[in-house]
């Protein structure tokens, strides 16, 4: 009987979340009211709502949570945070879980992960998002041939961006970075410090 009870509640993963996930300890405040799930504009796309994710964390379902595509679905609309009666920063917990999953070797959403890395690399190296560089690095993440094929599939959008001066043609050349902001080293120092201070890091 005792064994059956322990299989329903395993605090090991919850402790891991409290210690290693940004805002992870905040789920202690969740009272399972379900307002976050009812408020989320993408709830119908989720297998596990934030409320269910928090329950699974408390139940010790590490594999199921960190492999869940739902932890990388958040669009940061803040609706859940605004409506939560306990002020649980649901969005921050979900982002923290996504970072923790990636650091732990899980890739819940491959394309989102690749795009996030390309986006972040662009910010870190130049201090801004160059649409051409970010798109190029995202497309080339699977190799030159796959990147060229995907780039050709998006050629109409690229041509429109060039036409409206939203993209520099030089951005398409591998190895070329976008224009850096002034004092990029200062920004990188700040980002490195933020990474060191947070549980989840910024990369």
């Amino acid at each position: 009987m005792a064994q059956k009870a322990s299989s329903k509640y395993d605090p090991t993963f919850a402790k891991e979340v409290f210690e290693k996930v940004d805002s992870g300890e905040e789920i202690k405040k969740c009272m399972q009211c379900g307002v976050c799930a009812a408020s989320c504009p993408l709830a119908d796309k989720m297998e596990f709502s934030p409320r269910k994710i928090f329950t699974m964390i408390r139940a010790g379902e590490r594999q199921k949570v960190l492999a869940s595509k739902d932890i990388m679905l958040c669009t940061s609309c803040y609706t859940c945070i605004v409506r939560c009666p306990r002020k649980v920063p649901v969005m921050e917990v979900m982002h923290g879980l996504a970072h923790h999953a990636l650091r732990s070797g899980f890739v819940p959403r491959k394309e989102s992960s690749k795009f996030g890395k390309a986006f972040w690399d662009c910010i870190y190296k130049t201090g801004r998002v160059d649409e051409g560089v970010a798109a190029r690095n995202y497309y080339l993440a699977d190799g030159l041939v796959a990147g060229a094929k995907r780039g050709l599939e998006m050629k109409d959008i690229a041509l429109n961006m060039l036409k409206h001066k939203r993209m520099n043609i030089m951005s398409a050349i591998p190895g070329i970075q976008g224009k850096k902001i002034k004092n990029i080293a200062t920004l990188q120092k700040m980002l490195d410090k933020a990474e060191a201070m947070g549980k989840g890091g910024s990369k």
Side-chain angles (χ1 to χ4, degrees):
M1 186 67 185
Q3 186 176 359
K4 186 177 180 182
S6 66
S7 68
K8 288 183 179 178
Y9 180 76
D10 178 359
T12 308
F13 181 46
K15 287 180 182 175
E16 178 182 335
V17 170
F18 299 159
E19 293 170 4
K20 298 182 178 179
V21 172
D22 283 338
S23 300
E25 70 281 1
E26 296 290 325
I27 70 169
K28 293 176 182 175
K29 297 190 295 189
C30 177
M31 60 181 184
Q32 293 288 301
C33 68
V35 168
C36 56
S39 304
C40 180
L42 293 176
D44 64 330
K45 308 292 182 192
M46 292 180 172
E47 180 180 6
F48 305 117
S49 68
R51 182 185 66 81
K52 288 180 183 172
I53 292 284
F54 294 173
T55 298
M56 289 158 59
I57 290 170
R58 289 170 172 153
E61 297 189 60
R62 186 177 191 273
Q63 175 74 26
K64 215 170 179 178
V65 170
L66 296 183
S68 171
K69 292 183 176 183
D70 302 324
I71 63 174
M72 294 189 76
L73 194 59
C74 177
T75 59
S76 306
C77 72
Y78 285 85
T79 306
C80 54
I81 294 178
V82 170
R83 295 186 175 170
C84 176
R86 290 283 183 89
K87 306 299 180 193
V88 176
V90 180
M91 178 202 78
E92 293 168 16
V93 175
M94 296 299 272
H95 287 312
L97 285 170
H99 288 168
H100 185 59
L102 292 172
R103 285 195 320 273
S104 302
F106 291 84
V107 186
R109 289 183 181 268
K110 186 178 176 185
E111 294 305 312
S112 297
S113 302
K114 284 190 298 188
F115 182 78
K117 183 176 184 329
F119 187 90
W120 177 255
D121 285 348
C122 200
I123 292 282
Y124 189 81
K125 290 175 181 172
T126 66
R128 64 180 84 212
V129 176
D130 181 311
E131 288 90 344
V133 172
R136 178 200 70 206
N137 291 345
Y138 168 61
Y139 290 144
L140 292 177
D142 289 328
L144 186 61
V145 174
K149 184 178 176 184
R150 295 189 70 181
L152 286 173
E153 291 172 358
M154 302 297 286
K155 67 180 184 308
D156 292 339
I157 292 176
L159 289 173
N160 270 327
M161 290 177 72
L162 287 170
K163 180 180 174 184
H164 295 285
K165 299 181 179 179
R166 295 294 302 160
M167 188 171 79
N168 185 330
I169 188 67
M170 297 300 287
S171 301
I173 301 173
I176 289 185
Q177 296 297 330
K179 186 178 177 183
K180 294 179 182 177
I181 63 170
K182 291 180 181 177
N183 298 321
I184 182 65
T186 302
L187 174 67
Q188 290 172 342
K189 190 175 177 182
M190 289 169 55
L191 295 173
D192 290 341
K193 186 174 182 180
E195 181 187 11
M197 290 172 65
K199 295 176 188 172
S202 53
K203 293 182 179 177

